[in-house]
Amino acid sequence: MNAARQVLALAGGVGGGKLARGLAAVLLPDNLTLVVNTADDFVHLGLHISPDIDSVLYALADLNDSVQGWGLAGDTDHVMDALARLGGDTWFKLRDRDLATHLLRTQKISEGYSLSQVTQLIADRLGVGHRVAPMTDAPVSSVVDTERGYLAFQDYFVRQRCAPIFYGVRFEGAALAEPSAAFVAALECADAIVICPSNPFLSIDPILALVGVRAHLESSRAPVIAVSPIVGGNAVKGPLAKMMGERKIPPTSLSIARHYSSMVQGWLIDAADRDEAAAIESLGCAVRVTRTLMTTPEDKSQLAEAALDFAADLARQNS
Ligand code: GDP
Ligand code: FO1
């Protein structure tokens, strides 16, 4: 177990879930808070869906479908098949066992639970000991600006498969949304803050857009370490490189470092991108080159250890 005291990690779904699993393997439950993007959340077929929270919870419980990137391994589609026969909406697949999570969350929210409370309940019931919290309990929704106009997030991401040219994204509700209580507590006592290799535009920016979060990170006593989601000049999964191309931004770790700017003190980039290290350092941050591709459980733990060691070294230099 790593000696780090309190660690706060900011996460989306796929890249976030992978590093979250590594951090949970090397940190005791009381030493880690995972704060997860909720701007992808929406109500579908009457159910409250929190895709990134579920991806992180399923990853921590070792129940995730790692090939698909979302949902539960080995799930089936009887409900969606039956719904298709009835002519219902099946563009967003609520698979059979995954449906149980959405049903329970929706029931509890209708009974007055906050998203934080229901996330804790589901974590407990899945046997996840590490703290997983939504970024906020307030409603925040990503709206994507595209060549086809403004699109609700899941319409852009799933229904239209990120095909429309991406101009930008706004986070409706974020400017008035307070971070969740667990997020505030973790910001106040963190000894290290880790930005997971999640999509900066879609998964991390909504977290940074909440009231006070960006300012807190910019003046943070705790080192902020980020892992680049770009490996070898491409995204490991998902639309990030395509989106960057459409914004005329080269798909490099250097571009990602510029995006987060002075908020990050330490960058972990992949060995395949080692040539970018000097340019990233010239932005005023430290860089470590390592393997950032997380395929095996060992990859995840090693990358988590690398991030925590980096944070500890930077904290020592600051003191
Ligand atoms: P989403 O919310 O489901 O889209 O997932 P995230 O935003 O958390 O993660 C998406 C990003 O994770 C993509 O841009 C990928 O490049 C990145 N990613 C996925 N797997 C890995 C990996 O093993 N290593 C690194 N460095 N990045 C990864
Ligand atoms: N992604 C898809 O590409 N197609 C789906 O049908 C789909 C269903 C789905 C159901 C529950 C859930 O929690 C996530 C689901 N996702 C699906 C993932 C999708 O929501 C995105 O990957 C994230 O929102 C981006 O983080």
Side-chain angles (χ1 to χ4, degrees):
M1 284 287 145
N2 192 284
R5 285 171 297 155
Q6 288 300 326
V7 178
L8 163 63
L10 310 183
V14 174
K18 285 189 191 178
L19 189 59
R21 185 68 192 87
L23 288 164
V26 302
L27 288 166
L28 294 168
D30 284 350
N31 290 346
L32 175 64
T33 301
L34 291 151
V35 165
V36 185
N37 170 43
T38 58
D40 302 4
D41 289 21
F42 74 136
V43 172
H44 185 62
L45 301 175
L47 301 175
H48 184 115
I49 317 294
S50 293
D52 287 357
I53 288 179
D54 290 347
S55 291
V56 170
L57 288 175
Y58 293 164
L60 294 184
D62 289 328
L63 293 170
N64 59 314
D65 184 330
S66 58
V67 178
Q68 188 174 240
W70 51 271
L72 291 159
D75 212 344
T76 51
D77 291 307
H78 300 298
V79 172
M80 285 294 106
D81 291 347
L83 190 61
R85 264 196 307 278
L86 293 173
D89 260 353
T90 55
W91 61 271
F92 192 86
K93 274 199 196 171
L94 299 180
R95 309 194 75 199
D96 298 331
R97 276 179 269 175
D98 183 40
L99 253 174
T101 306
H102 313 307
L103 287 167
L104 184 69
R105 176 181 291 116
T106 306
Q107 181 205 342
K108 292 296 172 188
I109 286 175
S110 78
E111 289 171 7
Y113 278 53
S114 66
L115 188 58
S116 289
Q117 288 169 325
V118 76
T119 301
Q120 185 61 58
L121 179 80
I122 296 169
D124 290 344
R125 291 184 177 170
L126 291 177
V128 171
H130 293 79
R131 233 176 342 265
V132 177
M135 63 180 193
T136 180
D137 282 310
V140 174
S141 303
S142 291
V143 176
V144 187
D145 183 9
T146 75
E147 59 170 334
R148 296 183 196 164
Y150 287 100
L151 301 175
F153 179 80
Q154 298 296 350
D155 185 10
Y156 165 76
F157 201 95
V158 174
R159 201 202 307 239
Q160 305 205 37
R161 298 170 194 275
C162 307
I165 294 171
F166 172 79
Y167 297 148
V169 55
R170 65 167 197 262
F171 310 115
E172 272 180 3
L176 295 175
E178 299 287 339
S180 62
F183 190 5
V184 171
L187 280 170
E188 279 166 6
C189 69
D191 300 299
I193 299 174
V194 178
I195 301 181
C196 293
S198 292
N199 186 313
F201 305 113
L202 301 180
S203 296
I204 302 297
D205 282 356
I207 305 179
L208 303 178
L210 301 175
V211 174
V213 172
R214 187 178 287 275
H216 199 111
L217 264 63
E218 278 170 350
S219 62
S220 168
R221 154 191 81 77
V224 179
I225 305 296
V227 180
S228 174
I230 296 288
V231 175
N234 210 339
V236 179
K237 196 172 168 63
L240 176 61
K242 174 180 183 285
M243 292 165 67
M244 291 174 82
E246 289 164 355
R247 291 276 304 271
K248 316 277 183 254
I249 304 169
T252 61
S253 292
L254 175 61
S255 302
I256 306 286
R258 286 200 177 112
H259 180 78
Y260 289 129
S261 178
S262 58
M263 198 183 312
V264 174
Q265 280 91 60
W267 273 99
L268 277 167
I269 64 167
D270 196 82
D273 303 313
R274 62 170 66 251
D275 290 353
E276 295 175 38
I280 298 173
E281 276 166 354
S282 73
L283 300 176
C285 47
V287 177
R288 283 195 185 164
V289 176
T290 186
R291 173 181 164 86
T292 70
L293 199 58
M294 295 173 280
T295 310
T296 65
E298 293 71 33
D299 291 336
K300 294 171 193 168
S301 305
Q302 279 164 17
L303 188 57
E305 289 280 14
L308 299 176
D309 290 348
F310 199 3
D313 290 347
L314 290 177
R316 262 191 297 278
Q317 282 170 29
N318 292 344
S319 65

